[in-house]
Amino acid sequence: MRRFVIVGQKVRASPDFLLADIPSTSGRMDVLARSVRAALLVSHAVRRDTFAYLVMLGLPERPRTVRIDGSASRYLRPDERSLATTLQKALALPVPPESAGFCDARRGVAVAEGGIDCVLPELAASALYLLEPSGTDIRSAKLQADEASFILGDHLGLPPGLRERLLGLGATPLSVGPRALHTEDAIALVHNELDRRDPTSCTPA
Ligand SMILES: C[S@@+](CC[C@H](N)C(=O)[O-])C[C@H]1O[C@@H](n2cnc3c(N)ncnc32)[C@H](O)[C@@H]1O
C-alpha cells in the first residue's frame, strides 16, 4: 500500500470557498486537489493501492483531515475543480467528534477532526518517508515499497516542528531530485519510481 500525506499549512478546513477562485478563497486547496490527482489518478483509472491524506491546518476552523482511499473511491475526475468539489462536499458534512477518527463522507472519502495526529496511527505499519530536496536520492534509496508512506508539504513546505517530529519517528528524508518542485510533481515522481521497480503494480485491477 502506498500512502501520501500532504500537509496544507493554510488550507481552511471549511467548505466555504469559491470554486471559481479556489487558490485565494481556500488557503490553497488547489494544491491539495492537484495532489489528489497525482496520488490517485492515472490515465483512465484510479490507483487502487494508494491512499491520499489531506491535512488542512488553516484557521479559523480547527484542523481536519480528508482521507481518500483509491480502492474504494468512485467518480474521481482529474480536473482540479471537480476534485475541489469532492473536498468541499466532504467538508460540508457535520464535523465528527475528535474521538470518532475518520468518518465516511461518501464511498472512499472520509473526514477526521484533527491534523497529523489522526493520520499517524494509520501509518504505523508503514515505512515513513519525508519528501525534501536534500534527502536521499530516490533512485538509489532502498524503499520498503509494499507499505510506504510519503509525507509532503504544500507550497510553504512543512509547518514548524513537524519535520523534526517525523524524523523522531524514524522517517527517512527522500529526494526526487535537486530542485524544489510542486507537491503534485514530487508525488508523481515517487509513484513513477515505485512503478518502475514493480511493474506488476501497474496491472489494472
Ligand atoms: C513547493 S515544495 C515546498 C517549498 C517550500 N518553500 C519549502 O521550502 O519547503 C512542496 C513540497 O514538495 C516536496 N518536494 C518538492 N520538491 C522536492 C524534491 N526535489 N524532492 C523531494 N520532495 C520535494 C516537499 O515535500 C515540499 O514540502
Side-chain angles (χ1 to χ4, degrees):
M1 193 59 69
R2 305 176 188 177
R3 298 172 196 269
F4 289 86
V5 182
I6 304 99
V7 182
Q9 287 208 48
K10 304 276 186 202
V11 178
R12 289 156 47 88
S14 158
D16 184 19
F17 63 87
L18 298 176
L19 290 170
D21 186 4
I22 301 167
S24 50
T25 60
S26 65
R28 299 302 306 270
M29 185 75 78
D30 59 304
V31 175
L32 299 189
R34 289 194 298 275
S35 295
V36 171
R37 183 188 54 71
L40 294 176
L41 300 181
V42 292
S43 182
H44 300 296
V46 178
R47 289 183 181 271
R48 301 274 167 219
D49 63 350
T50 302
F51 281 88
Y53 297 85
L54 313 168
V55 180
M56 304 173 185
L57 299 181
L59 298 171
E61 291 78 13
R62 284 176 292 175
R64 292 170 87 182
T65 299
V66 175
R67 181 187 68 196
I68 307 184
D69 174 357
S71 71
S73 298
R74 297 288 179 273
Y75 313 117
L76 285 179
R77 297 200 339 228
D79 63 286
E80 189 177 303
R81 185 182 170 110
S82 165
L83 291 168
T85 302
T86 297
L87 300 176
Q88 191 172 50
K89 286 181 179 168
L91 291 168
L93 294 174
V95 181
E98 199 163 350
S99 58
F102 282 98
C103 299
D104 285 338
R106 72 173 220 208
R107 192 171 166 183
V109 181
V111 187
E113 174 95 8
I116 192 77
D117 286 313
C118 59
V119 180
L120 289 175
E122 304 218 343
L123 314 185
S126 289
L128 294 182
Y129 299 99
L130 173 62
L131 270 288
E132 58 185 24
S134 60
T136 303
D137 189 338
I138 194 168
R139 291 189 174 177
S140 53
K142 280 191 180 164
L143 297 176
Q144 186 185 307
D146 53 334
E147 270 298 339
S149 294
F150 303 91
I151 298 119
L152 302 98
D154 62 0
H155 61 299
L156 300 173
L158 290 177
L162 182 55
R163 179 179 186 277
E164 292 67 28
R165 187 171 172 201
L166 293 168
L167 292 176
L169 292 172
T172 302
L174 194 65
S175 170
V176 293
R179 299 199 74 157
L181 305 175
H182 292 297
T183 307
E184 66 268 27
D185 296 335
I187 293 170
L189 288 170
V190 171
H191 267 316
N192 182 257
E193 183 65 26
L194 295 176
D195 291 348
R196 285 170 178 273
R197 290 186 188 198
D198 180 13
T200 60
S201 68
C202 305
T203 310

